[in-house]
Structure formats: C-alpha cells, structure tokens
Amino acid sequence: MQLLTNALDFINSQDAVDLFYYFWFFLVFDFSRYVLADTFFLMVYFFKKKKNRPVRVDARLRLFKENPLISIIVPGKNEGRYIPELAKSLNRQTYKNIETIIVDDGSDDNTFKILRKLKNEGKIDSIFRNDVRGGKASAANLALMYSNGKYVVHLDADTHLKEDSVEQIIIPFYMDSSIGAVGGDLRVKNIYANLATSLQSIDYMKSISTGRVVNSQLGILRIISGAFGAFRKDVLDQIKGWDVGPGLDGDLTLKIRKLGLKVKHEPEAVCYTSVPDSFIKLIKQRYRWDRSLVRFRLRKHSDLLSFKNRNFNIFNFLTVVDNLLFNMVMNFKWWIYIFYIIFLNPKFIAIIFVINYLLYFSTNVIEFILATKLYGKTMRFQEYMLIIFLPLMPLYHGIFLRLIRTYAHIMEIIHRSSFEDKWNPWKVSKVVKKQRF
Amino acid sequence: MNIFIIDEKKITQIGELSVVSISLKEIKDNPPLESEIFIVNCENKKYAKAACEAIRRDTNPAIYLKPIILINSNENFTINNIADGYFTIEQTDALNNSFFPASYGSINQRIEEIQGFKGVKDTNIALKVLRYIMTRKMSLTPFRGSGNRFGLYYPNIDIFMRSKDETIYNTLDFLEDQNLLSQEFYEKVHLCIHCNSSFLNFMEVCPHCGSADLEDDDLVHHFDCAHVAPAKNFKQNGSLICPKCDKELKGLGVDYDKPATVFRCNSCRHTSQNPDISTTCFHCSTVTEPEDLQKRKIKKYSITALGENAAIHGIDQMFIQILDEKIKILPYQAFKILLSSEIERIRRYDISKSSVILFQITQSEQFYAQLGKRTRQIFSEIGDILNSVLRTCDITTTINEVTFISLLPETDSTGADVALRRLKEKFSVLIESNFEKQIEINTSSISLNKDQDVESVLTGVIENATAN
Ligand SMILES: [Zn+2]
Ligand SMILES: [Zn+2]
Ligand SMILES: [Zn+2]
C-alpha cells in the first residue's frame, strides 16, 4: 500500500515528458502494439466476421458439396501413446473425407506397435516408418509424398481436435482462393498440470490466439503452426515441402507468402495441444523458438527485406519487420531501458518497477478480456479460471521469457548454435551447418 | 550268424559275408524269425523300399525291430533314413564278415530284452514306436523333406504306417502325454488350415487391394533440404540428383540416407511400407493370412525310464495297473488255469452253466490318439464300469489293454448277454462324453460245455468278437 501511494505520488510529481522518459518502453512498444493495436484490429475482426457470415456459410456449403479428400499428416518420434486419442478425435470429425497418414520417425519405443494396431482396426489410414530418425521436416515430407488429398493438414502427435476443426480450417480456402495456408487455433490441453502450464495457457490465449488473429488481419501473419496447420497440396508441392528446421513452420509460411499467397489464422479451428509441463522444458522450448527467429528472418529470408527484390511485397516486408522489431530489437531495447532507468534515477527503481508492473498487469487484463471475447462459444470454464494467474503474468512475460529470449538471440548470433540442436538428428545438422546461410 | 538278404538276384555272398537270400514275398508271408540282420539290396530302389516296408510293418517284434542294412545304396536314397545303416556301392564291395555284429549286435541284444514277445503280435502302433526307439537307444529326430506335408517327418517310424495321415503324430503326442517319451522343441511349422500342408507360398500383398504385384523401392532422405522420395525419383544418368534442390547427392550416410523401403502396388497404385502377407497353399490353393495358419510344434523325442519299462513289458501293463485299483485283473496264464479248472468242474458234475465273455475296444489307434492326458482317469472309469457290472466271483483278465475277457461262473448265455449289454451301455456313455470320434465296442460270449478245452474257448471268444 505504501509503495502504491508512493507510486501515485511519484506520478503526480512528474510532468508528462518526464513520465514518458520513465515509461517510454511500455508506452511505445507494449501499450501501442498490444493494447491499442490489438483492440482495434480485434474490433475490425469481429466486425468483418459478422459481415462475412453469409460468405462463410456459402463457403462451407461449397466445401461439403465438393467434398475434397483432406490428408491429415502426423510426423513424430516416440509419440505413439498420444495417437489413439488423436485418431479418436479425427474419427469424430464433422468433415468425413479425410485420410490419416502417420509417420513414425525412428521411434525406439512401442510407437510402431500402437500404430499398427490402430491401422489394423481401421482407425488410421497409412503408416510410414523411418528406421533411423530423419527429423521433423523429412518426416513431414515423407507423409506429403504419399498424401492424396487436395489439402494437407499438418498435426502434432500430442494434439487432438475439436469435432468441427477440420471443416473450420478448410473453410477459409473456399472464402478466398488466394489463401495458401491456414493456421488453426492452439489451445492448451494440460492447463492445470502445474503453474508452468497455466501461465503458458494465458500466453496461448493472448499472443497465439489474439496475436495471430491481429497479424492475420494485418496480413502479416508470420507462422502457421505445425501443431495444426492446413495447406493447399499444390502449394506444398510447388515449394517442395518443408525445409530442415528448427523454425520450419515459420520458414514454410514465408515460402508460401513469397509465392504471393495469403496465409490466414482461423480462430474457430480449435486444436488442443500439450505444452511443456515443467519450467525446464519450457525454457528449452522457448530457447529453440527464439533462436530460429534470427536464423530464418535474418539469414535465410533476408531477401524479403530488400527493396531490390523483384517479388518485393510490403506485407512480407512488414511481416519480417514486425517480427524482428517486436522480438529482437525490442528485446535489446528493453535492456537499454533497464540500464537507462538504473542510470537515470536509481532511487526510484522500486517505484518505477511497481508502476511498470501495474501497467503491464492492466495490459494483461485487457488482453485476457479480448481473448475471452475472441474465444466466444469455444471458451471453456477452465480457461475462465485462469484469471487467478493474471497477476503473475507481468513477471512471466516481462522477465522470465525475456531472459530466455535475450540469451537465445545472443547465442544464435554468436554461435549459430541452432544447427547443433537436438531438434535435428546429428547427421542433418552436420550437413546443414556447412551450407552458406 | 543269420543274415538274410532281400533281393532279386538270389545272392549268397557279399564280399566275405555269407548270406541267406529271401524274396519279398517270403518276407511278407513267412518271415524268418531267426534272422539277426536284414540286408536289402538297393539296386532296384522300388523293390528295396517295398522290402523295408514289409519288414517294418510286420507285427512281430522279432521281425519289425530287426536291423536293416542297405547295400548298393547311394548318398541320396531316401530309404537310407529308415535303415540302421547303409553302404554305397563302393563300400559294399569292401564289406567283411566281422563288421555287422560289432555295430548291430546291441540292437539284437535289446530285442532279446523284450520279454515274452515270442508269438505275440504288436498291433499297437504306440508300442511299436516305443520298442523301436528303445532298441535303437536313439532320440527320434525329425528329418526335413518334401515327402511329408509338414515338411518335417520321422521316416524311421513313418514306415510303420501305410497311410500318411496324422496318426503317427497323435501317437507321439500320446506317448509324450504318458511320460513314455520326453520331448525337446525342434521347430515350429505353419500349416494350411484346410489340408495341413506346410508348403505355403508367403506373398507380400497390397493392403489396399490384395494384389501381389508390388514393386519395392528405397526411400531416400536428402539431409540438406529434408526431401524424401523413392530412389527412382532421384535417379538421373547414374548419379542421384535431388528433385527438390537439384543438388547431386554425394554419398550414402554423408548427405543422404535410406530410412525405409516402400512398396507400390501396380494394380491400384497404393503405396505402403507394410504390405500385408498372405499365404497360398501349394497343395489345395487355400489363401490364408499368416496369423490364421495352424501352427504345430515339431519335436525331438527321447525315451524315458518309464518308456523303457513299457517297451520291455508292454504298454498294457501300465493300464492294467490303473485298472487293478478298481478290479482284480488276473494275469493271462493264471486266468487260463482257472478257466481250465472251471471246464473240468463242468465236465465232471454237468449241473451248472458258466460263460466266458469278451469285451473289446476297437479302433485302438483312435482311442489312444484321443486319450492324451486323460488316460489315467478313463482307465479308472473303465475299472469302475467293470466293477459295477461284474460280480466279485467273476474273474477277469486282459490279452491287451483294450481287450477284456471274463469268466462268469454259474451264468448262462442269457445272463452273459445281460452283462455284456450293461457293459456296452455304460461304456457308450463314457465314450460319448470323452471322445470326439466314434469308438466302437466288440463283444462276444461263449457258454462252457464239457466238450471244450481252454484254447478252443479262448480262440472262439476272440474270433467271435463283433460289434453286435
Ligand atoms: Zn492346403
Ligand atoms: Zn493395390
Ligand atoms: Zn535436396
């Protein structure tokens, strides 16, 4: 309380310009980008959604009338235990004309036995097995090789779908023929496993669901998640499938954009996925994700930033800039901000910290409310209950994740260490590291 | 030394060895019991095979157990497997007199150990098998060969049987169940569900349409670009060029590998990695999935101590011990003495009527084949039946484990028939509840009168035995 009173006194005692000096980071980046922009673009989304209802109904009718085959491809290693639940959710789909292709990428457990059993029971259609692990990209490419569908839906093994998710993720293709890929909305399956999964659940609601809807509106969606993403088969064939990871999902998305096709996020296509259930696993996952940013945006797809590029497209440019800005640059700016505050006025650190905390907390509340609105009918009771964890979010988001990100960026730039990641088998990393980018 | 040779040329001398020549017909009609070794000349293979069969299918242990030696054979002659020894044409020329007793004397010694066989016929295949193994001190090992539907067979005991059905396997199972033989796993065979043949064609077939017209190809994974496709998609003029990134592949394990094999169906174009397997029987063309095939363990057998005992004294002794717990079974010789004194009593006083009845289980091979582990229980129940129908003053013996003869004093032919009918009724119930295939019962009865003697009574009762 005392601190809060002090904080108010502090604010009152400063003029607007000084306040900006103290809180420029929040005002410039987070507030404008996440509160103002998100609110505005979500409103636009809701408005458009309402307006597009008839178009959507018509698209759905045309989808069911044409009834194209849809290939569901699921690569994975040692994930056999998840497949029965996934297969069950696929067999319950409202859209029936699907084929399920599962790739066992060199599992050394009973995965293949489980797959064989499911296949014999007719619950999945095809299984392929690599005796030696080839990595996620090659497993997905193997499945793609034998996909017969007009559309290919890539799923992670540890997910399951809502019963109408396949139709929901395909409908956008029938609303706009220039769409090349559609991302599904990821929801957390193990929300209450522990604190780590609960905090990630909120994060998923805000940044993944809301963030992707907004980016999708802006035409700057930069990633179709491999956990649940749908692609036109002809497009995948044209770009010849996935390239070596990490970050292969974002990489593929950018390749599709380079063809001049749109990528969309579809919040109504719901996919439940497991998130890392310990902070250690979470750190490892985030570390991997954050490194891949530098690698693909800055090195492999630097042509998107070049105005001299013949295929230059302002949206692709913005996609990369947004991503770089709000991840990499902002991250380094944040450190500058910290040093700036310490240097500028060390005696106010506690007060500034509290005020920042309150600002970020309110941001989180606003974002949570927006997410709730976005989820609409698909919002579950357990997701409402996440509200009790909101006070922890500024620390989780502002400090915990930021530390990981900073470390990852530094490591990637200095060491190119992502090539040695366990993500790829050593045989692949070794070859890829020798390549130029 | 009595060495008989069966051939067409009437040889009397092989090298330094003097032999007695005998024809195939003589072997069948009047086999020489004194023979210690049978030599079979293989110059005519058909004739030689028939000679071996004639010897081994005889029912007299003095004949069927005797060593058979082939001369003028060759390495690949299938009959070699059933003989106790064989000599190729070159070896035959070098034979001498001292060779045979040293190698084959021990078999004759063991044949001698089989007590009281003189004049007794071994019609029981189980006993023949047991005695054969016992006299050879061998373990019965299956041979591989296409002459038998299982692909694995026991030539030296198969020859006991004319028919090539499963009797011999059931007999071995029976002997194992009775602990007369011990088994050791040899091999497992898959058999056609329809005809039990093991000659099956295993084919990879398309899981989609069932066609066997599949083509297999290795998948190639290019590490650089994560492209995965069948090897044929990569091939261009001898070197592998990646169709995704157009790079030439350097080497297996360097920048690519082959993680799996795929099968493409030429009928329906379906590709899979795990084709189904289907089996087609070469005999009867039945198509089956491998998991539905019959499986049979083929075993290697050795004789047990109990088996040695049964080989020497006869298998019937074992069953009689079980029966003995329920009803007193007299030894055959003792029964004959009592029968002769009863005949004498009737002859002297001529005031009462007595009868002799016979009760016999037919199809004894079927009976044994189906007995299995229930032998003790079933023989115990047979004992109960005999005990409940016969009176304590009646005396019973057996001439083998499936033929019972009883003397019913002070019983006329009507009384004897009543006893037989009751035995039959009770036995039918036992058969119906324990056996799948029909087992029939032969009976006969004879009334004693003063003009008979023991032998004529026994011969009469045995010869009159019919199903009615
Ligand atoms: Zn058959
Ligand atoms: Zn086919
Ligand atoms: Zn390549």
Side-chain angles (χ1 to χ4, degrees):
Chain A
M1 251 309 125
Q2 182 60 44
L3 211 57
L4 212 64
T5 327
N6 287 349
L8 283 174
D9 288 346
F10 175 77
I11 292 169
N12 282 331
S13 67
Q14 307 290 323
D15 62 30
V17 179
D18 286 341
L19 277 178
F20 183 78
Y21 277 124
Y22 286 116
F23 302 107
W24 60 266
F25 191 83
F26 173 79
L27 294 169
V28 169
F29 296 105
D30 294 84
F31 183 72
S32 53
R33 170 69 176 86
Y34 290 117
V35 182
L36 292 182
D38 282 4
T39 311
F40 176 76
F41 287 109
L42 270 185
M43 291 306 152
V44 173
Y45 169 77
F46 291 134
F47 174 74
K48 272 198 190 163
K49 188 178 154 191
K50 206 167 174 188
K51 204 185 88 182
N52 278 338
R53 264 301 154 200
V55 182
R56 200 174 170 86
V57 168
D58 178 59
R60 183 176 185 275
L61 275 176
R62 278 185 289 118
L63 165 66
F64 276 81
K65 200 174 168 203
E66 185 191 325
N67 197 33
L69 179 66
I70 291 163
S71 301
I72 313 272
I73 66 174
V74 187
K77 183 192 177 187
N78 293 348
E79 294 186 302
R81 62 187 184 281
Y82 300 119
I83 305 294
E85 194 191 0
L86 171 61
K88 209 167 125 192
S89 82
L90 290 173
N91 289 319
R92 273 200 311 248
Q93 285 300 307
T94 50
Y95 189 82
K96 299 289 179 200
N97 193 18
I98 58 178
E99 60 167 3
T100 312
I101 303 168
I102 316 243
V103 178
D104 172 6
D105 192 18
S107 295
D108 46 23
D109 62 358
N110 62 346
T111 291
F112 195 63
K113 237 173 105 183
I114 296 171
L115 296 183
R116 270 206 113 116
K117 187 168 168 278
L118 288 171
K119 181 166 158 53
N120 289 337
E121 293 167 356
K123 291 177 179 162
I124 55 181
D125 297 296
S126 296
I127 45 178
F128 288 94
R129 176 178 160 76
N130 288 331
D131 293 329
V132 189
R133 184 171 162 243
K136 212 143 191 163
S138 75
N141 286 336
L142 172 57
L144 177 63
M145 179 89 207
Y146 295 110
S147 297
N148 303 302
K150 186 176 175 190
Y151 299 96
V152 173
V153 174
H154 184 292
L155 271 181
D156 277 353
D158 61 345
T159 60
H160 66 261
L161 297 182
K162 205 164 165 285
E163 63 281 0
D164 65 346
S165 295
V166 170
E167 72 166 83
Q168 294 295 357
I169 205 166
I170 301 297
I171 286 173
F173 293 109
Y174 285 79
M175 295 171 73
D176 182 347
S177 59
S178 64
I179 289 176
V182 179
D185 206 46
L186 300 180
R187 311 280 171 92
V188 176
K189 188 154 78 173
N190 51 343
I191 294 183
Y192 289 109
N194 53 43
L195 182 63
T197 63
S198 298
L199 292 178
Q200 288 175 85
S201 302
I202 300 175
D203 207 26
Y204 266 71
M205 291 176 76
K206 300 185 329 178
S207 44
I208 305 209
S209 299
T210 311
R212 285 183 185 170
V213 168
V214 170
N215 284 342
S216 186
Q217 283 303 303
L218 290 169
I220 58 169
L221 186 63
R222 62 180 179 262
I223 195 161
I224 297 290
S225 170
F228 185 32
F231 306 89
R232 263 164 53 184
K233 171 80 160 40
D234 61 323
V235 171
L236 285 180
D237 287 342
Q238 200 181 339
I239 58 178
K240 289 169 178 147
W242 283 263
D243 285 349
V244 180
L248 64 171
D249 296 335
D251 180 50
L252 187 80
T253 312
L254 280 183
K255 273 164 85 183
I256 293 168
R257 299 185 67 113
K258 280 185 189 173
L259 291 176
L261 293 167
K262 288 184 205 159
V263 292
K264 278 276 172 233
H265 180 77
E266 180 47 67
E268 292 190 45
V270 176
C271 168
Y272 297 101
T273 185
S274 298
V275 292
D277 57 6
S278 76
F279 279 103
I280 297 294
K281 288 185 202 163
L282 174 63
I283 289 169
K284 287 180 178 161
Q285 186 202 51
R286 289 299 171 131
Y287 179 64
R288 204 170 61 221
W289 286 2
D290 290 330
R291 268 179 327 179
S292 70
L293 166 92
V294 182
R295 179 162 175 213
F296 285 101
R297 247 51 92 202
L298 220 51
R299 296 208 180 109
K300 194 172 170 184
H301 296 287
S302 55
D303 56 339
L304 289 177
L305 294 175
S306 161
F307 295 98
K308 281 174 254 161
N309 187 342
R310 234 170 350 110
N311 296 323
F312 181 79
N313 172 309
I314 186 67
F315 287 108
N316 289 343
F317 176 80
L318 285 177
T319 304
V320 176
V321 169
D322 174 73
N323 194 208
L324 281 175
L325 189 69
F326 282 92
N327 278 287
M328 223 173 152
V329 178
M330 186 165 87
N331 207 40
F332 285 106
K333 285 266 185 188
W334 183 74
W335 286 104
I336 293 168
Y337 173 70
I338 295 290
F339 286 115
Y340 170 81
I341 295 296
I342 293 170
F343 178 75
L344 191 76
N345 224 334
K347 67 177 184 215
F348 292 130
I349 284 177
I351 290 169
I352 290 172
F353 175 81
V354 169
I355 295 171
N356 262 322
Y357 173 82
L358 289 173
L359 289 171
Y360 280 104
F361 175 66
S362 354
T363 313
N364 271 290
V365 172
I366 294 168
E367 286 177 303
F368 190 80
I369 292 166
L370 288 174
T372 307
K373 183 99 178 68
L374 180 68
Y375 274 24
K377 284 198 289 282
T378 65
M379 184 88 182
R380 295 174 296 173
F381 176 71
Q382 52 214 107
E383 281 152 344
Y384 281 113
M385 288 309 290
L386 283 170
I387 203 156
I388 58 173
F389 292 103
L390 280 180
L392 288 173
M393 286 310 284
L395 305 176
Y396 171 77
H397 223 268
I399 296 174
F400 176 71
L401 292 184
R402 202 152 264 164
L403 283 172
I404 302 170
R405 189 174 303 152
T406 307
Y407 183 68
H409 290 172
I410 292 169
M411 292 312 283
E412 178 65 27
I413 287 169
I414 299 174
H415 286 116
R416 287 184 160 207
S417 58
S418 69
F419 297 112
E420 279 146 22
D421 180 26
K422 276 190 291 182
W423 182 256
N424 283 314
W426 181 80
K427 62 183 187 189
V428 174
S429 309
K430 190 182 66 164
V431 172
V432 174
K433 200 172 181 181
K434 283 196 206 132
Q435 294 175 346
R436 258 168 288 121
F437 71 86
Chain B
M1 196 178 185
N2 294 313
I3 300 174
F4 282 75
I5 180 160
I6 306 141
D7 78 334
E8 295 167 304
K9 291 179 179 169
K10 309 282 177 205
I11 305 173
T12 55
Q13 198 75 24
I14 308 167
E16 297 172 29
L17 201 65
S18 298
V19 292
V20 181
S21 180
I22 185 172
S23 72
L24 185 55
K25 188 171 173 352
E26 281 174 288
I27 280 285
K28 283 178 181 166
D29 296 343
N30 188 22
L33 300 180
E34 68 276 25
S35 171
E36 288 169 60
I37 292 172
F38 286 112
I39 293 180
V40 175
N41 188 354
C42 298
E43 278 174 50
N44 177 345
K45 289 190 173 163
K46 237 178 162 172
Y47 188 85
K49 187 165 181 266
C52 293
E53 285 170 356
I55 295 164
R56 291 287 190 248
R57 286 177 193 166
D58 199 277
T59 52
N60 193 329
I63 301 298
Y64 78 79
L65 286 175
K66 288 284 161 65
I68 296 178
I69 288 150
L70 309 180
I71 57 165
N72 294 320
S73 182
N74 58 44
E75 293 292 342
N76 305 320
F77 190 25
T78 51
I79 293 294
N80 292 348
N81 293 333
I82 70 111
D84 293 280
Y86 68 91
F87 295 91
T88 59
I89 294 167
E90 303 81 55
Q91 289 165 336
T92 304
D93 294 339
L95 275 177
N96 66 54
N97 206 358
S98 62
F99 189 76
F100 289 119
S103 309
Y104 305 104
S106 62
I107 295 177
N108 276 303
Q109 260 173 36
R110 264 182 238 112
I111 295 174
E112 285 296 319
E113 279 178 46
I114 297 171
Q115 290 164 5
F117 69 74
K118 289 197 176 73
V120 178
K121 294 195 184 310
D122 289 349
T123 48
N124 182 335
I125 187 80
L127 183 61
K128 279 184 84 168
V129 168
L130 208 53
R131 286 188 157 166
Y132 179 81
I133 298 173
M134 180 264 179
T135 52
R136 265 61 183 178
K137 278 254 176 278
M138 61 183 280
S139 56
L140 189 63
T141 310
F143 278 71
R144 206 175 292 283
S146 56
N148 176 284
R149 286 199 172 179
F150 287 0
L152 285 167
Y153 69 122
Y154 307 92
N156 28 24
I157 61 165
D158 270 352
I159 196 167
F160 292 151
M161 304 284 299
R162 198 171 304 275
S163 61
K164 293 271 174 253
D165 61 10
E166 285 186 36
T167 309
I168 207 77
Y169 299 95
N170 292 333
T171 303
L172 289 169
D173 286 347
F174 165 75
L175 290 171
E176 188 198 326
D177 285 342
Q178 303 308 319
N179 287 321
L180 301 174
L181 291 179
S182 65
Q183 63 91 19
E184 203 181 305
F185 175 80
Y186 186 80
E187 205 166 296
K188 189 179 263 178
V189 288
H190 291 76
L191 306 173
C192 169
I193 42 165
H194 184 245
C195 73
N196 273 342
S197 167
S198 70
F199 293 89
L200 303 164
N201 190 13
F202 285 76
M203 282 179 298
E204 285 161 332
V205 295
C206 171
H208 200 245
C209 74
S211 164
D213 185 9
L214 300 184
E215 244 149 68
D216 60 303
D217 199 357
D218 287 330
L219 281 181
V220 169
H221 166 207
H222 188 207
F223 299 163
D224 295 45
C225 68
H227 190 61
V228 180
K232 69 166 191 280
N233 294 19
F234 281 79
K235 270 166 201 149
Q236 282 171 12
N237 307 325
S239 60
L240 292 175
I241 311 254
C242 176
K244 177 172 174 179
C245 64
D246 292 328
K247 278 188 209 159
E248 185 177 339
L249 274 55
K250 294 192 209 71
L252 185 64
V254 179
D255 61 347
Y256 76 94
D257 68 357
K258 296 178 172 179
T261 303
V262 287
F263 295 84
R264 191 180 177 88
C265 173
N266 283 332
S267 295
C268 74
R269 319 235 109 227
H270 179 80
T271 303
S272 81
Q273 233 182 346
N274 303 285
D276 287 347
I277 305 288
S278 98
T279 63
T280 307
C281 175
F282 280 121
H283 259 274
C284 70
S285 300
T286 300
V287 177
T288 324
E289 285 179 18
E291 51 267 41
D292 295 335
L293 288 173
Q294 273 197 69
K295 290 179 194 88
R296 188 171 179 120
K297 269 187 194 171
I298 303 294
K299 302 160 180 175
K300 190 175 153 181
Y301 297 93
S302 311
I303 195 159
T304 62
L306 192 63
E308 294 241 6
N309 190 58
I312 294 167
H313 301 290
I315 297 181
D316 48 347
Q317 285 305 317
M318 200 178 73
F319 299 119
I320 286 159
Q321 273 170 22
I322 303 167
L323 284 175
D324 239 12
E325 294 165 8
K326 305 280 180 176
I327 185 169
K328 186 68 196 153
I329 305 281
L330 279 186
Y332 193 46
Q333 293 304 327
F335 180 83
K336 273 165 127 177
I337 294 165
L338 284 172
L339 178 60
S340 109
S341 66
E342 179 69 7
I343 295 169
E344 194 55 36
R345 196 175 65 89
I346 287 166
R347 185 177 297 154
R348 176 160 300 191
Y349 303 106
D350 198 16
I351 49 167
S352 54
K353 291 240 186 278
S354 291
S355 297
V356 170
I357 58 167
L358 174 140
F359 174 84
Q360 184 178 43
I361 300 161
T362 63
Q363 295 120 331
S364 63
E365 303 306 343
Q366 286 275 11
F367 180 69
Y368 285 122
Q370 294 182 55
L371 265 181
K373 291 198 165 60
R374 297 167 303 172
T375 307
R376 173 161 286 277
Q377 177 215 333
I378 284 169
F379 270 86
S380 176
E381 282 179 37
I382 293 173
D384 283 336
I385 292 171
L386 292 171
N387 203 12
S388 68
V389 174
L390 300 175
R391 304 161 301 177
T392 44
C393 63
D394 299 331
I395 52 170
T396 304
T397 189
T398 64
I399 48 173
N400 57 42
E401 66 283 4
V402 289
T403 310
F404 303 91
I405 299 175
S406 296
L407 168 63
L408 316 179
E410 302 296 325
T411 307
D412 59 11
S413 61
T414 322
D417 288 342
V418 170
L420 280 176
R421 203 179 60 237
R422 289 182 58 205
L423 280 175
K424 243 184 143 165
E425 279 167 12
K426 295 204 170 191
F427 201 79
S428 300
V429 174
L430 176 71
I431 295 287
E432 264 171 41
S433 52
N434 286 287
F435 293 86
E436 282 169 21
K437 288 184 188 160
Q438 191 53 48
I439 308 272
E440 295 201 332
I441 294 145
N442 285 350
T443 56
S444 71
S445 68
I446 199 162
S447 286
L448 297 184
N449 63 56
K450 59 183 191 306
D451 302 325
Q452 291 162 317
D453 61 25
V454 172
E455 291 305 325
S456 68
V457 169
L458 291 175
T459 318
V461 84
I462 291 168
E463 283 176 1
N464 291 342
T466 58
N468 295 310

